[in-house]
């Protein structure tokens, strides 16, 4: 689902479901587009595509942790330090974050998908800077959905938003070319963001943006521009269902 008003992105959502779950999921998505904190959508696009079940790969979710910080400035500093520890150069990280914070789409707007940053040159690699790259065709596997829905509230975490981001980040981290992902929401009221990587898992950071800001987005730090079309194809098209990480006893 993708919703907009006057060509401005309002919200989006991606699911990978059995046929019998479709109706409920679609009406829930429409509802979400109509009551979003970024405003009411004037246009909602729903795209349904069939995926053969033999093509669907299974993988574990990343481990989940939360880093408590007191301000968005501290949160961003933590994110920069963690990215440097993953081998990225400070200047490239700070420059990418500055682009995201300023509104990474043309006219300083919000992108519909993610920025791709070449970790060696700092260059942006996404073919379209308004659209970015949208990760799609991923979900929690049906038999684990109830378990995951119960696990998050038990940790004091609201489940739907986190589940969707956790699933997205877990798919992105499966791509060997991706070093890490940094995200904060475009929802003006939602200040928690995350850093995700294969090494450190899905690390929520309690403040990554200023309260009230409608600017958010995602940055995928990529090892190099080699095999870029294959990476984009994987992120957009490869169907993956996730199961809970065993270590957390979900
Ligand atoms: P959200 O976490 O839904 O508030 O989204 C924050 C930002 O992440 C959006 O403004 C988009 O730029 C980006 N984004 C949202 N969904 C996706 C997706 N499926 N794939 C890549 N980027 C996304």
């Amino acid at each position: 689902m993708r919703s907009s008003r006057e060509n401005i992105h309002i919200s989006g959502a991606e699911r990978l479901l059995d046929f019998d779950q479709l109706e409920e999921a679609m009406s829930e998505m429409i509802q979400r587009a109509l009551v979003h904190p970024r405003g009411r959508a004037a246009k909602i696009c729903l795209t349904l595509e069939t995926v053969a079940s033999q093509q669907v790969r299974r993988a574990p979710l990343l481990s989940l942790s939360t880093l408590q910080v007191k301000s968005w400035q501290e949160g961003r500093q933590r994110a920069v330090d963690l990215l440097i520890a993953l081998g990225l150069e400070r200047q490239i990280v700070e420059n990418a974050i500055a682009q995201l914070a300023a509104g990474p789409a043309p006219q300083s707007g919000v992108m519909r998908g993610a920025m791709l940053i070449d970790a060696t040159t700092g260059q942006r690699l996404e073919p379209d800077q308004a659209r970015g790259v949208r990760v799609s065709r991923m979900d929690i596997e049906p038999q684990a959905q109830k378990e995951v829905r119960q696990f998050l509230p038990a940790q004091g975490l609201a489940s739907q938003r986190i589940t969707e981001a956790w699933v997205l980040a877990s798919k992105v981290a499966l791509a060997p070319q991706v070093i890490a992902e940094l995200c904060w929401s475009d929802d003006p009221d939602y200040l928690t963001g995350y850093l995700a990587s294969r090494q450190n898992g899905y690390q929520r950071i309690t403040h990554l943006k200023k309260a009230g800001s409608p600017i958010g987005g995602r940055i995928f730090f990529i090892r190099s521009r080699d095999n870029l079309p294959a990476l984009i194809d994987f992120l957009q098209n490869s169907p993956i269902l996730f199961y809970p990480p065993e270590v957390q006893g979900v």
Side-chain angles (χ1 to χ4, degrees):
M1 182 278 288
R2 190 160 67 70
S3 74
S4 58
R5 192 185 54 249
E6 290 159 14
N7 271 333
I8 295 174
H9 172 78
I10 300 280
S11 69
E14 321 280 338
R15 305 294 310 267
L16 179 62
L17 300 163
D18 282 340
F19 277 107
D20 61 2
Q21 298 177 292
L22 283 185
E23 261 186 66
E24 195 185 324
M26 303 268 291
S27 63
E28 185 267 316
M29 280 182 183
I30 293 170
Q31 193 54 30
R32 191 177 346 166
L34 293 176
V35 296
H36 200 273
R38 285 172 61 79
R40 192 180 172 93
K43 181 175 171 189
I44 303 173
C45 298
L46 289 161
T47 307
L48 284 97
E49 289 168 306
T50 315
V51 174
S53 53
Q54 314 85 274
Q55 290 174 8
V56 180
R57 177 175 155 192
R58 294 177 71 251
L61 286 163
L62 290 172
S63 62
L64 180 149
S65 59
T66 301
L67 306 177
Q68 301 285 347
V69 292
K70 292 196 176 69
S71 65
W72 63 268
Q73 291 94 331
E74 187 190 343
R76 288 201 195 157
Q77 195 49 56
R78 285 292 285 278
V80 170
D81 292 345
L82 287 163
L83 285 161
I84 291 170
L86 286 168
L88 285 145
E89 273 177 43
R90 176 181 293 279
Q91 208 189 337
I92 287 177
V93 170
E94 287 181 347
N95 185 30
I97 291 180
Q99 288 185 65
L100 175 53
Q107 280 97 46
S108 305
V110 169
M111 294 169 75
R112 304 197 289 281
M115 298 161 67
L116 301 182
I117 296 283
D118 183 331
T120 47
T121 63
Q123 274 180 320
R124 283 176 69 170
L125 300 178
E126 67 278 8
D128 173 341
Q129 293 197 351
R131 182 180 184 278
V133 173
R134 273 196 77 83
V135 187
S136 191
R137 301 193 179 179
M138 67 282 180
D139 217 308
I140 304 281
E141 62 179 8
Q143 57 273 37
Q145 280 174 13
K146 199 168 146 210
E147 243 180 313
V148 172
R149 267 203 306 273
Q150 287 170 348
F151 164 76
L152 289 170
Q155 316 259 316
L157 302 174
S159 72
Q160 188 192 41
R161 182 198 297 271
I162 299 176
T163 307
E164 285 179 5
W166 192 13
V167 167
L168 190 154
S170 298
K171 177 168 177 184
V172 174
L174 283 177
Q177 299 98 310
V178 175
I179 303 170
E181 172 191 355
L182 180 68
C183 167
W184 67 81
S185 178
D186 52 33
D187 174 342
D189 308 325
Y190 194 70
L191 313 182
T192 301
Y194 67 84
L195 183 68
S197 63
R198 268 183 192 221
Q199 283 96 317
N200 300 329
Y202 175 74
Q203 297 174 294
R204 301 175 64 248
I205 301 177
T206 53
H207 292 79
L208 264 185
K209 67 180 262 185
K210 237 188 227 170
S213 164
I215 302 291
R218 287 181 153 85
I219 307 172
F220 301 164
F221 291 95
I222 310 299
R223 277 177 222 289
S224 81
R225 59 170 64 227
D226 297 347
N227 299 323
L228 189 61
L231 170 65
I232 294 175
D233 181 55
F234 168 79
L235 295 171
Q236 293 183 158
N237 298 319
S238 192
I240 309 188
L241 285 175
F242 288 91
Y243 52 89
E246 278 150 28
V247 283
Q248 294 190 324
V250 180

